[in-house]
Amino acid sequence: GMERFGDRSELNEFATFARLPAGEHTPEDLNALVEEAMVLFREGHRHIEFVFDPDPSLPRLPLDREGIKRALINMLDNAVAACDGAPPTNATPPRIEVRTRLHRAHGIVALEVADTGIGIKPEERGRLFEPYFSTKQGGTGLGLAIVSTIVADHQGFVRVKDNEPHGSRFVVELPVKGPLEQIVLH
């Protein structure tokens, strides 16, 4: 029944998850989408330094706009929580860096979200994208499961690596050509 959902937002999050994959894919400017998402975060988390390092040569990609935006917001939320969970260092403010790169040879666009946060324990890494797995206090554990679902809907891949010297780096790889174009080409 309903009682397993802690609050309204958790229920909405689950509804979002249940509805995926969602929208149709239209040619989108990924860099512009990242900018839009980051504006919200810059405003809301002034204690964190947000950096965007876009690849200007990115082609338009067939994306579910709302889906990719939701995935970005979930990854940024996660990065903020990781930064807030790490012990503060006086030397440098916490930092979240988003980067896009076109890898022509592989036919993919890479989207990376790196944070200087608390990091991920090796034993948690394998379960990170499972529904209901959460390392956050009071987290639903749906954030990264939704990211994973959305990326899969785009025939892409998502993985997590360590960030140097500390923190995490999420790497999303999206194919430049959708399956339809490939069928037409070959």
Side-chain angles (χ1 to χ4, degrees):
M2 292 287 295
E3 64 286 344
R4 50 181 295 243
F5 288 107
D7 60 30
R8 202 86 217 125
S9 69
E10 196 167 332
L11 186 59
N12 289 345
E13 183 106 32
F14 184 75
T16 307
F17 187 59
R19 249 200 335 268
L20 292 164
E24 53 176 333
H25 295 207
T26 52
E28 297 287 348
D29 176 349
L30 181 61
N31 288 336
L33 276 180
V34 172
E35 283 283 8
E36 273 174 50
M38 286 183 84
V39 165
L40 304 170
F41 280 85
R42 279 200 182 98
E43 292 299 307
H45 305 279
R46 295 189 179 276
H47 63 294
I48 298 174
E49 185 189 353
F50 287 90
V51 182
F52 181 33
D53 175 17
D55 181 343
S57 70
L58 244 52
R60 287 189 170 265
L61 296 170
L63 302 177
D64 161 13
R65 186 187 159 77
E66 287 311 307
I68 288 293
K69 209 161 169 191
R70 151 82 22 226
L72 258 165
I73 286 169
N74 284 11
M75 286 192 291
L76 288 167
D77 264 338
N78 222 50
V80 166
C83 285
D84 289 347
T89 58
N90 296 331
T92 52
R95 177 183 162 103
I96 295 172
E97 184 172 353
V98 183
R99 173 187 304 179
T100 57
R101 289 292 179 269
L102 170 62
H103 297 288
R104 262 203 189 76
H106 300 111
I108 59 161
V109 165
L111 165 68
E112 291 192 12
V113 179
D115 66 68
T116 59
I118 200 162
I120 294 154
K121 299 184 189 82
E123 63 270 20
E124 290 170 351
R125 187 159 297 186
R127 301 195 50 208
L128 215 47
F129 298 100
E130 286 176 19
Y132 305 113
F133 178 76
S134 182
T135 59
K136 283 200 285 245
Q137 200 59 45
T140 62
L142 283 174
L144 289 175
I146 289 174
V147 171
S148 175
T149 304
I150 291 166
V151 171
D153 176 46
H154 289 78
Q155 281 81 45
F157 295 96
V158 57
R159 53 208 164 81
V160 63
K161 308 197 293 201
D162 283 332
N163 196 22
E164 293 304 321
H166 55 92
S168 307
R169 181 183 293 272
F170 285 84
V171 183
V172 172
E173 294 178 345
L174 299 168
V176 172
K177 296 230 182 303
L180 290 175
E181 284 115 309
Q182 282 168 1
I183 293 164
V184 172
L185 284 175
H186 298 123

